[in-house]
Amino acid sequence: MEADYDVIILGAGAAGLSACVYTSRAMMKTLVLESLGSGGQLLITDEIENYPGFPEGVKGPLLAQDMETQALRFGGELEYAEVEALDDIDKPVKIVRTDDKVYTAKSIIIATGGAHNKLGAPGEDELAGRGVSYCAVCDGNFFRGQDVVVVGGGDSALDEGIYLSAIVKSVTFIHRRDELRATKLLQERAFAIDNIKFLWSHVVENLVGNELLEAVKVKNLKTEEVYEYPTAAAFIYVGFHPNSEYLQGVLEMDPLGHIATDLHMRTKVPGVYACGDIRTESTRQLGVAVGDGITAALSAYHDLL
Ligand code: NAP
């Protein structure tokens, strides 16, 4: 059976789009399948300061748009569809199924990235979109001039909390320890902003509200005191998980759902590659995702020669 494509790239984030530039410039017939919008994490990142070549920084959504334009310049195709299953991945012609179509390819590059974790607290699901958010860039404007909280103490929490501090009245970080995980530069920036406060050694037990979020019920882990902390919004940044559910039973994964590759982004299955945030030991950096995508594309190209 002839395959429809030389390569199908799953995911149009930074890794997938970078792979597409290289496969399509190498004249490989390329299809990119994306479930939401091109750009992945770029779409929910306001300002990117650590991607080389942009000395003044660059807006994530703008970079996403440019990456998509560049990726499709050389003949690659992009379709919006959620991949539901992969079949025959160990065969020379591999099958990719979406809800209404079946595609075949000689190689598959998996670049479906990941998503922010939920807190798992009561009220979180009920109030999602009504004060509970996982994307400051998307939802911050709704809370202009109001008091909000950010849950978490990593780079994502600090980046997004600093962004929010410019548009809301105040940002309170709720962090379960008394030391942040985020890089020192971000910590120093946050400490220097007047309308940023910290509730150290606190956890959120409940998200409280009827129609809209009204408060978070927090617990001080040092004193055991439990109390309600009024807020218009809770932005949750408590880690990240790979989008790999659809690969269960198809590819070997670590317990958290990351896919192991060698340095060339090859998985254990010939013709199947993984790159970006879905990869075991990914440093979750934009530049690394771009490099991973390029490496996967070059490996796919060489393996088909
Ligand atoms: P992360 O580094 O894993 O941080 C998650 C934060 O949430 C930690 O502070 C953690 O607390 C807290 N947390 C986890 N589970 C919790 C729970 N159940 N309840 C309360 N708090 C909880 O995740 P991330 O911030 O999304 O970053 C992930 C990776 O992406 C990192 O490698 C990061 O460097 C990278 N990243 C980089 C940038 C940048 O370069 N500007 C921006 C965003 C992300 P503990 O600290 O106590 O564990």
Side-chain angles (χ1 to χ4, degrees):
M1 183 173 62
E2 245 330 270
D4 302 328
Y5 292 93
D6 292 317
V7 58
I8 295 182
I9 297 168
L10 311 183
L17 292 174
S18 305
C20 181
V21 171
Y22 275 67
T23 56
S24 52
R25 281 190 86 244
M27 306 300 283
M28 295 173 79
K29 191 170 182 221
T30 302
L31 171 68
V32 183
L33 290 174
E34 165 60 46
S35 61
L36 296 169
S38 285
Q41 294 296 304
L42 289 175
L43 291 179
I44 57 166
T45 307
D46 178 48
E47 189 77 20
I48 297 163
E49 285 185 330
N50 53 3
Y51 187 58
F54 295 90
E56 304 303 326
V58 58
K59 297 282 177 199
L62 190 68
L63 185 58
Q65 211 171 45
D66 284 348
M67 280 190 175
E68 184 197 280
T69 305
Q70 185 179 5
L72 300 183
R73 227 183 99 189
F74 307 104
E77 299 166 33
L78 171 66
E79 283 188 29
Y80 287 100
E82 177 134 9
V83 175
E84 294 196 334
L86 304 184
D87 289 325
D88 291 351
I89 61 160
D90 50 347
K91 308 255 168 66
V93 176
K94 303 167 197 315
I95 298 173
V96 179
R97 295 183 195 279
T98 64
D99 59 346
D100 63 346
K101 279 194 183 168
V102 177
Y103 305 87
T104 56
K106 295 177 191 165
S107 24
I108 294 175
I109 296 178
I110 297 166
T112 41
H116 288 290
N117 289 342
K118 287 188 175 181
L119 198 53
E124 184 176 10
D125 288 340
E126 294 80 352
L127 293 166
R130 292 192 273 150
V132 173
S133 171
Y134 306 85
C135 178
V137 177
C138 322
D139 300 331
N141 261 316
F142 297 124
F143 305 101
R144 205 164 265 280
Q146 301 186 62
D147 297 311
V148 307
V149 303
V150 171
V151 186
D155 281 337
S156 297
L158 274 270
D159 258 351
E160 303 309 313
I162 291 168
Y163 164 76
L164 285 167
S165 70
I167 52 182
V168 300
K169 186 169 162 207
S170 76
V171 176
T172 302
F173 283 93
I174 300 175
H175 183 41
R176 63 184 177 184
R177 292 187 293 137
D178 52 15
E179 204 178 309
L180 295 169
R181 179 179 294 279
T183 46
K184 287 278 178 271
L185 178 88
L186 289 175
Q187 294 193 26
E188 279 172 18
R189 261 191 212 165
F191 293 149
I193 296 173
D194 285 341
N195 65 343
I196 285 183
K197 304 177 239 182
F198 289 86
L199 286 184
W200 299 107
S201 304
H202 276 64
V203 289
V204 172
E205 293 207 319
N206 263 341
L207 293 118
V208 184
N210 289 316
E211 283 302 300
L212 297 173
L213 181 73
E214 289 158 22
V216 284
K217 191 188 263 186
V218 291
K219 180 178 186 180
N220 182 329
L221 295 175
K222 294 211 164 143
T223 63
E224 300 276 305
E225 185 193 359
V226 176
Y227 60 99
E228 281 191 9
Y229 192 84
T231 185
F235 290 89
I236 297 175
Y237 289 102
V238 293
F240 196 83
H241 62 273
N243 288 328
S244 57
E245 296 83 359
Y246 68 100
L247 297 168
Q248 287 289 348
V250 175
L251 264 185
E252 213 175 287
M253 291 182 228
D254 71 14
L256 293 176
H258 300 96
I259 301 165
T261 67
D262 65 11
L263 287 175
H264 304 279
M265 309 300 142
R266 293 184 177 102
T267 68
K268 286 190 176 152
V269 180
V272 179
Y273 313 83
C275 52
D277 291 350
I278 201 162
R279 215 161 66 73
T280 305
E281 291 172 15
S282 160
T283 50
R284 296 224 19 245
Q285 300 297 307
L286 173 58
V288 175
V290 167
D292 275 9
I294 293 169
T295 306
L298 292 173
S299 297
Y301 175 71
H302 287 295
D303 292 348
L304 282 186
L305 286 179

